[in-house]
Every structure is written in structure tokens, then in C-alpha cells.
Amino acid sequence: MAQQAYMEETDNGGSGPERRGSRFRRLLDRLTGPWRGDPRIWRRGLVLAALALVLALIMLMHSRIPNAIGNLGSLTETFLPWLGLLVPVLLVLAFVRKSATALIAVILPAAVWLNLFGGLLTDKAGAGGELTVATHNVNADNPDPSETARGVAASGADVVALEELTSAAVPTYEKALAGTYKYHSVQGTVGLWSKYPLSGVKPVDIKLGWTRAMRATVTTPEGQVAFYVAHLPSVRVKMEAGFTARQRDKSADALGEAIADEPLERVVLLGDLNGTMNDRALNAVTSQLRSTQGAAGSGFGFSWPASFPMARIDQILVKGVEPESSWTLPETGSDHLPVAARLTVDTSS
């Protein structure tokens, strides 16, 4: 009887929520014990606290950072999500410094980052949609265009846009995609391949002097949709000039004007915009259209560079149709990842 009582007492005190709670308290005591009774925890780490506040202000007021000096504002906005990596760094440094002031200050940039990008961390993809679209900058120096074309076709997309096409590679893409897509058109260095008929095909002038954008009507079973394909000029980061993007910005404005004049209500823009949805320089375009990744994607959907994606500069933007899901496709040999989306064209029901 004594042995049984001893075992019962041991079992009751050695397991269950009470024991887990005591472990948590011991861990908490271990972390905070050295801080107790130390009045300097509020005076230490003031520099860290100031850095946390500056970080929060940069993220919160990124649209106010001027572009007058090296397009610093656009550069910041291109890589804005990555500023969140500084939050855990500041948090660790605040613990090392045993600074309550810094710990509290770090809450602010964390809250701002979550407000800006927290919604992208959830999976918003739905099961609907009857039209799948994809876009891919295939890279003018692509060593294996045939393999790239087969990879894009394997996505199951009904409509595919390709950018950075060279005259030498166009026949290869046409041959590789002919079995999947009955209709296609190439305008300059961009092209559109479709399972459904194309009409109203024309180049779009984005103020470059040569063709890097086009427009076509795709007649889907659910109705007509205006498709735009665009490859905006590249940007460069130069030591002497900063983030040079003047030509890209000018072309974005011209593309925005073309889309604003579009007579059809349903519009899909596919292409390499060489900028993110956060970049104010693309406002002429992004203010009119929704990002499928933002509306129905999972995660950030970074597409460039393919070896270690850091920014989503390849975009699928829509108006008058409903994004159901959005995702990136596997590498194809290009320096960009293809991106795809599934759309509901008939939104009347």
C-alpha cells in the first residue's frame, strides 16, 4: 500500500500540465532572472531602440523616401519585404544587451512589417477558376529554348506570354509550343500563345523605339479578355548613379495609358515589369490592376533571380476577372522563374 501511494504521488506530480507549466516558469526565470532588480535594463540599448524606430519609420513611410537621389525610394520598395529580417536581429541584440527598452522598441517594426506583409504569409488560393495563364521571361541567352518552352507548356496554362524573345529563338519556341497552342503572335521581343482564338493583335508603344509590349483579345469560352504582354526596361544599381530606372518609369507610364484606354472590361497583364507591386514608379499600371499573387497566392511569389529569388518582378495583374490562385513554376534554364495564375472570367454568378 505504501509503495502504491508513493507511485500515485509521483505520477501526479511528475506529468501533465502542471509539470509543463513548471518547466515554462523555470525557463522564464532562467531568461529573465539576471534582469530582475537591475535598474539599467531601461537605460541600456538606447541605440538599438533608436535603430528599431528608424526601421519602423522606413517601412511605414517608404512612399515618402525621395527618388531624387539615385531613385532611393524605388530601390527600398523593391526589396521592402527583406527589411523584416532585421527584426529578429534587433531582437537577439536586445536580449544580449539585456535591454527592456530595446525589446519594447522592436515590437514596433515587427508590427509594421506584419501589417504590410502578414497577409502574404497565408495561403489564399481557391479551387475555382476556368482560365489558367502564365508568363515567363525566357532570357535572351537561354541555352535551351526547347526545354524552357516544354516546361512552360507543362504548366497546363491556357494562355502563355513569353518575354525577351530573340529572332533566332522564336522558331524554336513556335515549334515546341505548336502542339499545345493553336494560336500565337509574336510582336518584337514578346509573344502570346493561346489555346483560344486571338484577335485585335497589335504592338503597344511604351516609348522605347522598338517593340517590347503587345495587346490581343483572347476569346475564351466565358467571353473576350484583353491580354497585354509587356517587358519593361531593366533597372540598374550603379555606384555613381544609384538605382537607375528612368526609362523603365517612362515605359510604365505609357503602358498605364494604354491599359486605361482599353475598351474591354476584362483585362490581364502578363510580363516582366522589372519592378514590384510596392514600387511607386509602377503606379500608372498597378493602380488600375490587381496582383493575382497578392489576391490569391501563397507567400511572396518571388521570381527573380531564379537561383535565389529575392523579388517578384514578373507579374500577373488583372481587372474585371477574379484571381483564384497564383504560384511560381519550377526553373526552366532562364534567370527568371515562370509565374502562373488561375482566373475566373465569368464573374456574373
Side-chain angles (χ1 to χ4, degrees), residues 244-287:
T244 58
R246 184 174 302 173
Q247 186 58 65
R248 189 277 311 266
D249 300 349
K250 182 180 177 181
S251 293
D253 291 341
L255 179 61
E257 291 177 8
I259 294 172
D261 293 336
E262 172 57 49
L264 293 182
E265 293 182 358
R266 292 180 288 205
V267 178
V268 177
L269 169 62
L270 306 170
D272 174 6
L273 303 188
N274 271 306
T276 68
M277 292 297 291
N278 297 312
D279 192 336
R280 77 196 68 173
L282 301 183
N283 279 352
V285 174
T286 56
S287 62

Side-chain angles (χ1 to χ4, degrees), residues 183 194-199 216-227:
Y183 309 93
S194 173
K195 295 179 180 179
Y196 306 119
L198 301 179
S199 60
T217 297
V218 177
T219 303
T220 75
E222 290 74 30
Q224 291 187 330
V225 182
F227 273 79

